[in-house]
Amino acid sequence: MKITTLITLFLLCMCLCASAEVIQRDIEGVPYYLYIPSKYNSSQEYPLIVALHWSTAIGMDMLERWREPAEKLSYIVACPNSHNSNYWDIKEEDGRILRMIEQIEKDYSVDKKRVLVTGFSAGGTYAYYLGIVYPEIFAASAPLAGSLKWLISENGLKLSMVKKKTPIYAIYGAKDITVGIEEGRFAQDELRKYGFQITLKEISGLDHQYPPFLNWPIIKWFEKLEKQKD
């Protein structure tokens, strides 16, 4: 009896996985990867996560980390490639990312009030930027190991000019020597100075890595944030 139950559960899981879709598209010749959960129904609206990869990675690397929570909680996930796999060209990529979102919203039933941008390392830095500069598009931003300091000092981002403040959930590893926790504390102090709502989460024992379990606190924070708005 137990073996039969296990086989049934296994087959059910396989059916669900098979019915979920991973689609490769492109904007201006640059690919992006789109995950559509198996329970997708066009009569309902779904939250959208835009997840930005780190240097030397591609969008599929991000999608693999988001697949499980996206399926369990019915999120659409879009993971674009950067023009150059070594970095995100801040400002130069903006138009393409926004057109990608427009394309997804045209073809799928997306809740435009629940669009989250996230990313790791170079993608985390760009997630800071997109969330801050485009609050009318992104309901929230969740950078992992991103550098707000670089955006301000090297890219000229002026927080004082931002009128609508996007809520931010920033994650850093306590043992990260590439983009350390001091970057997170700088971001927290600087953003609060200009009226942003920021939650800083420090992960003990974590260096410059992006294990998939980090996506769960992001999802929990985002859903809690959305409930507070209701």
Side-chain angles (χ1 to χ4, degrees):
M1 185 69 176
K2 289 183 179 179
I3 293 175
T4 304
T5 303
L6 286 172
I7 292 172
T8 302
L9 288 172
F10 174 76
L11 291 173
L12 178 61
C13 181
M14 291 295 290
C15 289
L16 287 174
C17 291
S19 58
E21 287 190 78
V22 177
I23 303 164
Q24 180 176 328
R25 293 179 159 190
D26 73 84
I27 289 288
E28 299 170 8
V30 181
Y32 71 90
Y33 305 90
L34 188 63
Y35 187 82
I36 306 299
S38 61
K39 294 179 181 179
Y40 175 81
N41 183 330
S42 60
S43 66
Q44 302 174 17
E45 290 188 332
Y46 294 80
L48 170 65
I49 295 173
V50 176
L52 308 171
H53 65 75
W54 58 97
S55 297
T56 73
I58 62 171
M60 183 58 76
D61 296 312
M62 292 297 290
L63 188 143
E64 289 301 326
R65 284 165 170 77
W66 276 102
R67 185 192 294 261
E68 184 180 1
E71 179 61 24
K72 287 186 176 180
L73 300 174
S74 293
Y75 275 66
I76 296 173
V77 181
C79 304
N81 284 3
S82 59
H83 276 287
N84 186 316
S85 64
N86 289 319
Y87 59 90
W88 288 96
D89 192 345
I90 304 297
K91 294 183 180 178
E92 293 298 321
E93 303 270 14
D94 292 18
R96 186 172 61 86
I97 298 296
L98 298 183
R99 283 188 286 278
M100 176 193 76
I101 294 171
E102 287 177 2
Q103 187 179 80
I104 296 167
E105 291 175 344
K106 178 182 177 182
D107 296 340
Y108 295 92
S109 184
V110 173
D111 185 344
K112 295 181 181 181
K113 295 180 180 179
R114 292 194 293 164
V115 181
L116 168 70
V117 61
T118 185
F120 173 64
S121 194
T125 300
Y126 197 28
Y128 264 130
Y129 178 84
L130 289 174
I132 291 169
V133 174
Y134 297 102
E136 72 281 5
I137 302 296
F138 299 104
S141 173
L144 298 92
S147 179
L148 182 71
K149 187 182 296 184
W150 181 85
L151 287 171
I152 293 171
S153 63
E154 301 296 325
N155 200 256
L157 180 64
K158 296 186 183 301
L159 298 176
S160 60
M161 303 295 289
V162 179
K163 293 182 179 180
K164 186 178 179 181
K165 320 292 185 182
T166 304
I168 294 171
Y169 185 84
I171 297 179
Y172 293 84
K175 291 190 174 181
D176 191 340
I177 61 173
T178 303
V179 186
I181 187 60
E182 68 278 358
E183 286 271 5
R185 291 169 185 157
F186 170 85
Q188 180 177 248
D189 293 344
E190 199 69 11
L191 287 165
R192 285 182 177 172
K193 185 193 304 183
Y194 292 101
F196 283 83
Q197 176 187 338
I198 176 171
T199 300
L200 175 62
K201 186 170 182 64
E202 180 178 346
I203 307 295
S204 61
L206 183 70
D207 56 15
H208 199 65
Q209 296 180 27
Y210 179 22
F213 74 81
L214 293 180
N215 292 335
W216 290 102
I218 291 173
I219 287 280
K220 283 185 178 181
W221 169 81
F222 186 53
E223 295 200 332
K224 182 179 179 182
L225 183 71
E226 292 305 302
K227 286 178 182 178
Q228 290 172 352
K229 293 179 181 178
D230 295 338

